[in-house]
Amino acid sequence: MLFLGLLAAMSAPFASGQGVPSPRGPFATTWDEAYARMTPFDGKRVPGADPSTLNGKVVCGYQGWFLAPGDGSGAGWVHYGNGVFEPGNATVDLWPDMTEAGPDERYPTDFKLADGSPATVFSSYNAKTVDRHFKWMADYGIDGAFLQRFATELKSPGGYDHLNAILDNVRRGANAHGRTWSVMYDLSGLQQGEIDSVVIEDWKRLVDRMEITKDPSYQKQNGKPVVTIWGVGFDENRAYTLDECAKLIDFLKHDPKYGGNCVMLGLPYGWREQVRDSVKDPKLHDVIRMADIVSPWATTRYNSIESFHNDLPIYQQPDLAWCTENKLDYMPVIFPGFRWKNLEATRGRPNHSNEIDRMKGQFFKAQGDALVASGVKMLYVAMFDEIDEGTAIFKCANNAPEGFGTFDGMPADTYLRLAGEFSAELKKQK
C-alpha cells in the first residue's frame, strides 16, 4: 500500500493567536452542577462510517485530556506540563501541528518553533479543535474513536465535569463528520470497591442523563452498544480484583435497565499464556469468556519491525485463533512508535526515553499490513492524540521546538493516511 502526503502542510506558516474560553465555562465545583450539565445529544448525524458494526473498522483511542490557560476550564496546563509548561518542564514529546487551527484555538506558550516563531498548542476543551480532529478522521477514512474515560477522574465534581465536557465535544464531532465513538473505561488507579461505586454508577448516569446509547453515532457490534473496560488482568498490583471486573462485565451485559451491551476488554499483551504483563490467575480466562471482544495492549511490547514479526506467531495469531474458538471478536492494537523523553525528565530520569523509532511510517505500516493479512476484522490504533508518550497519529509538527520529537520530515498526515489505508483494506475483507 502506497501513501502520499501533502508536503504543503509541512511548510505552511504557523500563525500565532490567542485561544478563546469555552462557552461551557469553568469545570463544575459541585456534584449538582456537574450532573445538571449532563444532557442528551440534540443534533443530527451526517452519514458516514457504519455505527452498527466494528467489523472492517480502524478505531483510534482518543485521550482528549489536553488543557491550557485561557481555554475556560480554569484548570491551567493539564497534560502539557506539571502545573507549568515551559522550556525544561514539559510532559509531551510531540508538538501538535497547528497549521489549520484558527486564532481562537491557539493557546500561547513560552516555546519557540524551530524557525523562531511563537509556538502555540490546542485545548481539548475547545469544541472547534475536537471537531477538526473528527474531520481529519473522516478525511482519511478512519472510522471512529474510543473515548478514554479515566475512572479515577470520575471521583470529583471537577474531574467528572471535565470528562463529560470532552464527551460532549467528541459526540458532536463524531456526528458532524459521520464517525463513530464509544466509551472506553480506563480502570487504572481505582481502589478495591470503586468499580462498583464509581464506574457502575457513572454508566447509569451516562445512560439516564446523557442517553449515550441512543446517540446515532455510538458504536455498536452485533446490535449492542460497545463499552470497553481497559485494565483487566494486568500484573501491576492493581487494587481492584478480577471478581470486581467480572461483576462489571455482568452488569454491562445483563442488567435489566443498563445492560444489553457488547463488552470489549483491554487486556495485557501476554493474557493468553499469562506471561509477561499478565497476572497468573486461573480466573482470568473465565472472566475473558464473559466478554465479547478481546483487545490486548501491544504498545511498547515490541520495539522494531523484526520483533513485531517475531511476536506475530507467538501472540497475535494464536490470540486470534483462541478468540475464534471461544466465539469472541479480536481487536489487536497497533501503534506508530513511542517516546517519552520529556515526560521521564520531569520524573528525574532525563536519559530514559524508551524511544521506539517510527521509521518514517514503516513500523506502523508493517503492523497494520501483517495483521490485516492475518485475517483480523478490526484494528485499534493507539492513539489518535497521545503526544505525552509519542504515540499520536494526528498531525504533528516537524518544525517543533527544541527537545521535542518530530515525524522525521514526513508529511504531517502520514499516519492518518496509513490508518485510513488499513481501514480500506479491512473493508475489502469484511
Side-chain angles (χ1 to χ4, degrees):
M1 295 182 291
L2 299 176
F3 60 95
L4 298 174
L6 298 177
L7 294 175
M10 297 167 50
S11 57
F14 286 74
S16 61
Q18 178 62 58
V20 300
S22 166
R24 184 186 181 97
F27 293 157
T29 57
T30 68
W31 285 111
D32 286 345
E33 183 184 5
Y35 296 156
R37 290 178 168 183
M38 300 177 72
T39 58
F41 176 68
D42 58 359
K44 294 183 179 180
R45 183 178 196 271
V46 171
D50 177 8
S52 71
T53 181
L54 274 171
N55 295 341
K57 283 190 170 53
V58 167
V59 182
C60 297
Y62 193 86
Q63 304 282 39
W65 57 15
F66 299 100
L67 302 173
D71 64 9
S73 69
W77 292 116
V78 174
H79 274 278
Y80 282 112
N82 290 326
V84 295
F85 182 46
E86 61 189 13
N89 193 333
T91 56
V92 294
D93 269 74
L94 293 171
W95 199 273
D97 184 337
M98 299 295 289
T99 305
E100 298 174 41
D104 55 343
E105 300 171 77
R106 299 170 181 270
Y107 298 90
T109 76
D110 291 334
F111 293 90
K112 300 291 184 183
L113 296 172
D115 61 7
S117 60
T120 61
V121 294
F122 70 91
S123 169
S124 308
Y125 204 52
N126 191 315
K128 184 177 177 182
T129 296
V130 177
D131 181 84
R132 177 175 297 101
H133 290 168
F134 279 85
K135 180 180 184 300
W136 287 345
M137 293 181 203
D139 288 346
Y140 293 94
I142 298 168
D143 297 285
F146 291 126
L147 174 60
Q148 309 300 293
R149 195 161 175 90
F150 304 97
T152 56
E153 201 168 344
L154 299 172
K155 297 192 287 184
S156 70
Y160 199 76
D161 191 43
H162 172 203
L163 295 185
N164 291 338
I166 305 307
L167 188 155
D168 275 335
N169 290 346
V170 163
R171 64 180 176 179
R172 291 189 182 280
N175 278 287
H177 298 287
R179 300 300 93 190
T180 72
W181 74 281
S182 64
V183 168
M184 175 176 280
Y185 282 109
D186 186 336
L187 304 183
S188 302
L190 284 185
Q191 299 303 305
Q192 191 166 353
E194 289 184 333
I195 285 180
D196 198 337
S197 63
V198 175
V199 179
I200 288 178
E201 292 306 310
D202 175 60
W203 182 254
K204 292 176 182 178
R205 285 188 288 269
L206 290 180
V207 171
D208 288 341
R209 292 175 175 269
M210 302 189 88
E211 299 182 0
I212 64 168
T213 57
K214 296 179 181 178
D215 186 310
S217 287
Y218 196 88
Q219 182 68 62
K220 295 180 174 63
Q221 177 73 342
N222 298 322
K224 300 175 180 180
V226 174
V227 188
T228 304
I229 308 168
W230 195 94
V232 177
F234 283 82
D235 185 20
E236 298 172 343
N237 295 315
R238 295 187 173 217
Y240 56 86
T241 66
L242 286 177
D243 287 340
E244 290 178 274
C245 293
K247 181 179 178 180
L248 177 57
I249 297 168
D250 183 70
F251 166 78
L252 290 170
K253 288 176 66 72
H254 303 300
D255 185 85
K257 182 176 181 181
Y258 301 103
N261 301 293
C262 170
V263 175
M264 182 165 89
L265 298 183
L267 298 173
Y269 192 59
W271 65 275
R272 184 174 37 80
E273 296 293 331
Q274 298 188 13
V275 296
R276 294 178 61 168
D277 53 351
S278 174
V279 297
K280 296 173 178 60
D281 191 320
K283 292 181 182 179
L284 179 59
H285 286 184
D286 293 334
V287 171
I288 292 170
R289 290 186 182 96
M290 294 175 64
D292 302 283
I293 308 172
V294 163
S295 184
W297 187 244
T299 302
T300 73
R301 277 27 178 199
Y302 43 83
N303 58 14
S304 66
I305 293 175
E306 180 182 10
S307 59
F308 164 71
H309 281 299
N310 288 340
D311 275 6
L312 194 62
I314 300 171
Y315 292 95
Q316 289 86 347
Q317 290 172 341
D319 285 355
L320 174 59
W322 189 97
C323 290
T324 300
E325 180 181 349
N326 286 276
K327 297 180 173 54
L328 299 174
D329 286 320
Y330 176 60
M331 192 171 200
V333 171
I334 60 174
F335 65 105
F338 189 90
R339 186 184 192 270
W340 63 3
K341 184 176 181 179
N342 291 335
L343 179 62
E344 285 292 277
T346 67
R347 297 168 173 169
R349 299 189 289 257
N351 299 317
H352 185 227
S353 71
N354 202 25
E355 184 166 4
I356 297 175
D357 190 351
R358 288 177 174 243
M359 299 180 62
K360 297 188 175 182
Q362 292 307 304
F363 179 65
F364 191 49
K365 186 175 188 297
Q367 297 168 71
D369 285 352
L371 286 166
V372 171
S374 293
V376 304
K377 297 179 181 178
M378 55 192 78
L379 288 172
Y380 173 20
V381 171
M383 308 284 285
F384 187 83
D385 58 339
E386 172 62 285
I387 53 178
D388 306 69
E389 297 180 350
T391 60
I393 68 162
F394 74 171
K395 298 180 184 183
C396 289
N398 284 309
N399 189 25
E402 183 178 357
F404 290 82
T406 70
F407 282 0
D408 300 312
M410 297 298 288
D413 65 352
T414 293
Y415 298 93
L416 296 172
R417 287 181 176 273
L418 281 171
E421 289 178 0
F422 300 150
S423 179
E425 290 299 312
L426 285 171
K427 287 172 176 55
K428 292 177 184 178
Q429 301 180 20
K430 183 177 176 183

